[in-house]
Amino acid sequence: MTKIKKYLIFITSVALFGELYFHPFNSSLRFSAGIIVLNLIILIDEDSSPLSISYLSGIGVFLVRIFIRIFFVSMSFRDSIALHFPSIIYYIVYGLFILTTNIRERKNQFITPIIILTFADIISNIFEIMVRSQQITPHLIQMTILVGIARSIIAYFIYLLYKKQELFLLTREHQKRYSQLNILISDIQAEMFYLKKSTHDIEEVMGKSYQLYESYKHDKALKDKTLDIAREIHEIKKDYYRVLHGFENFLKTFEKNGTMMLSDMLVIIRENTQRYLIENKKNVYLNFDFKDDFELKKYYHLFTILNNLIINAIDACKYKGVIHITQDSDPNNIIFYVRDDGEGIDEDILPYIFNPGFTTKYDEKSGKSSTGIGLSHVKNIIGEFKGTIEVNTLINKGTTFKVIIPKNSLIGW
């Protein structure tokens, strides 16, 4: 928004609200709501000049009132100017007072800004009364003070509500980014299991290629080829180690104080899943129920387990269903259940669901299959925890995954 456009919006707002009047305590005195809007502008928009916005608002109020009197009240142009010109004085004095008191530097002190706004209102009203050559009576002073206090309190409390809403939106955005970061880290953690497994496989292949080189030393052609293969595998191994080491260093920065309460983690999972459901237009209800609330040490790992099981449950429900995520415990273990009322798993494919690469999911548009590594991730991580996973399923009734993890693995007994 350009500065000119912003100022026009501010001036118009003050001028229009300046035509909303109230009569305090049923008196004949008339006060407008325009100054409440001006107070809010001064408090909220730190880029605008208090003096400039006050002076221009005064001109805006003056012009609007002249227009209304000429076209709707049939007052002469000269009488309209004489009647409403003092209002410009009010706004000029108001802007000067606000400028000299530096209210923006004190606007979060609660009492101080209310006092400044009240005195600005009272002094400006007195100057306007003097310009109008009205007699300043005790009753008039009393009404001016009461209105000044009322308008200042109303404006400041609206400002506090605005700041509270702004803080709420910032907190929500921060929480959204924080939850997305946690999901990202948990995904990286899961991928590292496969990187570690691959480095082990590379070590074995390199050993075999070197044994082949030793076996065919007498054959120069084979000896050179097998040695080249061993060297190339060694280079691949070094690259893998570099990648793995980079991931580990990256994750260490998050794991120095890597703890989270279970309740906080479930809130993040719920919000991320709700966004996923909305984006994919699925009418699936999530119900979270946890018996205990405790501090998790390896919460990224648990993120991966629950996220994968919940996404699988959503897929099983197609476009409508209910998923229950439940936590329980016994003296030695923490237990999680992920239950859905979806289509279930066929008995003939049940033994293969944890195999890497196995999938029954295909993209409806492209026909490409899923990677099939979600449940294998889950099983690998649970294995690292020295836990177990069980599956119970009925066709067209639903599926329950039961995850059992020793307490000393998850919360560090």
Side-chain angles (χ1 to χ4, degrees):
M1 186 188 298
T2 64
K3 191 171 183 178
I4 294 175
K5 185 178 179 181
K6 182 171 70 173
Y7 268 56
L8 284 174
I9 292 172
F10 289 164
I11 294 164
T12 304
S13 300
V14 174
L16 292 177
F17 275 89
E19 293 308 300
L20 297 178
Y21 298 102
F22 60 96
H23 299 265
F25 306 105
N26 295 320
S27 69
S28 59
L29 297 172
R30 189 176 69 169
F31 296 90
S32 79
I35 197 63
I36 296 175
V37 177
L38 179 60
N39 286 340
L40 286 172
I41 293 169
I42 290 169
L43 291 171
I44 292 170
D45 188 69
E46 296 190 354
D47 295 330
S48 60
S49 164
L51 182 58
S52 298
I53 201 68
S54 298
Y55 173 69
L56 293 172
S57 294
I59 294 175
V61 169
F62 173 68
L63 293 175
V64 167
R65 288 178 180 175
I66 286 179
F67 176 81
I68 291 172
R69 295 303 179 280
I70 292 174
F71 291 97
F72 294 97
V73 186
S74 299
M75 184 181 287
S76 69
F77 182 70
R78 180 179 293 178
D79 289 343
S80 296
I81 291 176
L83 179 64
H84 297 299
F85 181 76
S87 60
I88 297 179
I89 303 300
Y90 172 94
Y91 283 95
I92 292 173
V93 174
Y94 195 93
L96 286 169
F97 189 90
I98 292 296
L99 184 67
T100 55
T101 53
N102 294 320
I103 190 172
R104 285 173 177 164
E105 295 179 4
R106 308 173 187 180
K107 64 181 181 179
N108 295 318
Q109 296 176 9
F110 192 73
I111 296 298
T112 304
I114 293 176
I115 294 172
I116 292 172
L117 293 175
T118 300
F119 272 98
D121 199 345
I122 295 169
I123 292 170
S124 301
N125 265 315
I126 291 172
F127 267 88
E128 183 180 354
I129 292 167
M130 292 169 62
V131 171
R132 291 183 184 277
S133 301
Q134 287 182 253
Q135 184 179 0
I136 300 176
T137 64
H139 176 70
L140 188 61
I141 294 295
Q142 185 182 41
M143 287 297 103
T144 301
I145 291 171
L146 289 174
V147 169
I149 293 171
R151 289 199 290 198
S152 300
I153 290 174
I154 291 169
Y156 193 70
F157 272 89
I158 294 173
Y159 165 73
L160 290 180
L161 289 173
Y162 167 81
K163 292 299 291 182
K164 186 177 179 181
Q165 179 66 16
E166 185 182 55
L167 180 62
F168 172 77
L169 293 174
L170 287 172
T171 303
R172 291 285 297 176
E173 183 62 25
H174 172 74
Q175 189 178 41
K176 180 180 176 182
R177 293 188 180 187
Y178 176 65
S179 64
Q180 289 172 340
L181 177 63
N182 275 289
I183 296 298
L184 171 64
I185 299 303
S186 66
D187 289 343
I188 293 174
Q189 284 274 20
E191 295 298 333
M192 283 180 64
F193 284 105
Y194 281 90
L195 282 175
K196 289 176 181 177
K197 182 179 180 299
S198 295
T199 54
H200 176 71
D201 293 340
I202 289 169
E203 288 277 6
E204 288 190 351
V205 173
M206 189 176 72
K208 288 176 182 178
S209 65
Y210 188 75
Q211 287 173 7
L212 196 62
Y213 162 75
E214 289 287 339
S215 301
Y216 289 94
K217 276 186 176 181
H218 59 278
D219 188 324
K220 189 177 185 308
L222 279 175
K223 182 185 76 171
D224 292 342
K225 287 181 180 180
T226 53
L227 186 60
D228 285 341
I229 291 171
R231 285 172 180 164
E232 289 175 8
I233 293 172
H234 180 68
E235 288 301 314
I236 293 171
K237 185 192 81 169
K238 287 197 298 183
D239 290 339
Y240 255 79
Y241 274 127
R242 276 195 293 270
V243 172
L244 190 59
H245 183 66
F247 274 135
E248 286 175 341
N249 286 337
F250 172 71
L251 293 175
K252 279 177 184 176
T253 61
F254 295 93
E255 291 184 336
K256 285 178 182 177
N257 298 307
T259 60
M260 180 184 287
M261 297 303 294
L262 175 65
S263 56
D264 294 332
M265 191 194 71
L266 293 180
V267 167
I268 292 172
I269 290 176
R270 180 198 291 273
E271 291 186 351
N272 274 280
T273 308
Q274 291 291 356
R275 281 193 290 271
Y276 172 83
L277 292 171
I278 292 169
E279 289 169 4
N280 291 274
K281 299 178 180 178
K282 291 178 180 284
N283 186 23
V284 177
Y285 175 75
L286 298 175
N287 178 45
F288 288 82
D289 183 23
F290 54 98
K291 175 183 175 183
D292 311 300
D293 193 13
F294 42 79
E295 192 175 64
L296 297 159
K297 285 197 171 180
K298 296 183 178 179
Y299 67 92
Y300 289 123
H301 299 65
L302 189 58
F303 254 106
T304 303
I305 293 170
L306 294 179
N307 270 329
N308 274 286
L309 294 179
I310 291 170
I311 295 300
N312 281 346
I314 291 170
D315 291 338
C317 291
K318 297 298 183 183
Y319 291 96
K320 186 178 181 181
V322 180
I323 298 170
H324 298 274
I325 300 94
T326 309
Q327 179 270 325
D328 203 349
S329 61
D330 61 31
N332 299 309
N333 302 295
I334 297 169
I335 305 165
F336 292 93
Y337 299 90
V338 179
R339 299 184 178 94
D340 66 68
D341 59 358
E343 58 188 2
I345 303 171
D346 290 334
E347 187 177 346
D348 55 341
I349 67 171
L350 190 58
Y352 308 105
I353 61 172
F354 293 108
N355 290 356
F358 179 80
T359 185
T360 58
K361 300 176 188 175
Y362 294 87
D363 188 283
E364 293 179 358
K365 294 180 180 179
S366 66
K368 291 182 179 180
S369 65
S370 169
T371 57
I373 59 175
L375 287 178
S376 61
H377 272 339
V378 168
K379 190 171 183 180
N380 279 335
I381 296 169
I382 293 171
E384 289 280 324
F385 279 133
K386 297 181 174 57
T388 58
I389 182 168
E390 302 171 4
V391 187
N392 289 301
T393 184
L394 288 172
I395 297 300
N396 297 323
K397 296 290 184 181
T399 302
T400 299
F401 284 90
K402 179 181 180 182
V403 177
I404 305 169
I405 302 174
K407 287 183 177 178
N408 60 352
S409 297
L410 194 58
I411 61 178
W413 266 14

